[in-house]
Amino acid sequence: MVDTILYLAKVYIRLDQPLTALSLFKQGLDRFPGEVTLLTGIARIYDEMNNIVSATEYYKEVLKQDNTNVESIACIGSNHFYSDQPEIALRFYRRLLQMGVYNCQLFNNLGLCCFYAQQYDMTLSSFERALSLAVNDEEVADVWYNLGHVAVGTGDINLAHQCFKLALANNNNHAEAYNNLAVLEMRKGHHEQARGLLQTAAALALHMYEPHYNFAALSDKVGDLQSSYVAAQKSATAFPEHVDTQQLIKQLQQHFAML
């Protein structure tokens, strides 16, 4: 019976009806209280709907039933990291290590948590282990990208520049690396190179607002107000609550009103 519910929910998800799938999972929980697969299904749907609070609650319910559930531990750890609690996230990731999970993604996350928790002695060794465990170019690119962030955080801009380039050498579709490399080029005054990198990033990741905003800011700086306004509008479409974008649009509208 549980399998039937899972398969039917999978059909609803493929039909882009997540709320119907949620309702089905909850009906299943009424008949099978505490069923881990149903709780996990609900948590995944909330996670995909970006309802992180509800997803975390259900992942915690999963751990009450099965305290060795790797997915739940990893997702709760990730939520703590993005809630600016790297020390707590570190505890969850170390728990995964104790359970025998040993892969590139885990050490990648450990490296970031150690850096933001100011445990610098473990940061580079975690990233080195992640690189040694990477099984494809995409994983290698993600490690170098995160190392680039660490380099920026420590003020070593040249190292950051090299890390982002290495990320792109391993995965030339890494939009975030293009965006960050463009910001570094902007700081060096290489405006044309930065524009090209930002246009590439925007084309690769339509959901990202950062390339559009950075392109708008760069265009405004060099006096190309029309391009700046168009890019700022795209940034506002991707992320309407972004304050800097709204301020830039307001500033550009004032410029246009004076013409």
Side-chain angles (χ1 to χ4, degrees):
M1 184 62 184
V2 174
D3 287 343
T4 306
I5 295 171
L6 292 172
Y7 284 125
L8 188 55
K10 192 173 183 179
V11 171
Y12 282 128
I13 292 169
R14 289 294 295 271
L15 292 172
D16 197 21
Q17 297 181 18
L19 296 180
T20 309
L22 273 177
S23 176
L24 182 65
F25 278 132
K26 288 177 180 178
Q27 289 173 21
L29 281 176
D30 292 337
R31 298 190 62 181
F32 304 98
E35 174 58 42
V36 170
T37 53
L38 298 178
L39 290 168
T40 304
I42 294 172
R44 286 173 181 168
I45 292 174
Y46 277 129
D47 202 5
E48 290 179 6
M49 293 170 65
N50 207 28
N51 188 343
I52 306 301
V53 175
S54 297
T56 303
E57 289 176 2
Y58 276 97
Y59 279 127
K60 286 179 179 178
E61 287 297 319
V62 172
L63 289 179
K64 289 178 183 177
Q65 305 296 327
D66 176 13
N67 60 9
T68 61
N69 188 282
V70 173
E71 180 182 348
S72 298
I73 295 172
C75 289
I76 293 172
S78 175
N79 180 44
H80 281 299
F81 177 78
Y82 287 110
S83 300
D84 296 325
Q85 297 173 316
E87 298 88 352
I88 300 176
L90 202 54
R91 289 167 52 193
F92 283 91
Y93 290 134
R94 282 178 171 164
R95 171 64 178 157
L96 291 176
L97 271 182
Q98 292 170 352
M99 289 167 54
V101 179
Y102 204 76
N103 56 37
C104 173
Q105 293 90 340
L106 177 56
F107 280 100
N108 206 0
N109 291 341
L110 273 170
L112 282 177
C113 287
C114 288
F115 176 70
Y116 288 110
Q118 298 181 353
Q119 298 187 19
Y120 302 123
D121 54 328
M122 290 291 293
T123 302
L124 290 180
S125 61
S126 295
F127 283 125
E128 285 175 358
R129 189 68 59 84
L131 281 172
S132 68
L133 293 170
V135 296
N136 55 50
D137 289 343
E138 285 76 15
E139 290 184 355
V140 174
D142 286 338
V143 177
W144 282 117
Y145 174 74
N146 288 335
L147 275 167
H149 274 288
V150 171
V152 170
T154 57
D156 193 339
I157 302 304
N158 289 330
L159 176 60
H161 194 273
Q162 292 174 0
C163 287
F164 291 136
K165 280 199 166 185
L166 283 167
L168 291 174
N170 286 281
N171 180 10
N172 59 5
N173 290 322
H174 204 297
E176 292 86 355
Y178 278 112
N179 178 71
N180 290 5
L181 190 58
V183 173
L184 296 182
E185 293 292 354
M186 285 166 60
R187 292 184 60 171
K188 292 181 177 181
H190 303 157
H191 294 157
E192 287 305 314
Q193 285 179 273
R195 284 169 71 95
L197 290 167
L198 289 171
Q199 287 172 333
T200 304
L204 287 171
L206 301 176
H207 64 281
M208 284 176 60
Y209 76 93
E210 293 93 343
H212 296 301
Y213 171 72
N214 289 331
F215 189 86
L218 177 59
S219 297
D220 179 54
K221 185 177 180 180
V222 299
D224 188 353
L225 301 185
Q226 180 62 34
S227 296
S228 178
Y229 186 74
V230 171
Q233 291 288 356
K234 290 179 181 177
S235 174
T237 302
F239 184 16
E241 291 82 23
H242 190 232
V243 176
D244 289 340
T245 298
Q246 298 301 331
Q247 290 177 346
L248 180 57
I249 290 174
K250 187 176 180 181
Q251 177 186 323
L252 289 168
Q253 286 173 341
Q254 291 174 348
H255 277 307
F256 293 142
M258 293 169 62
L259 294 176

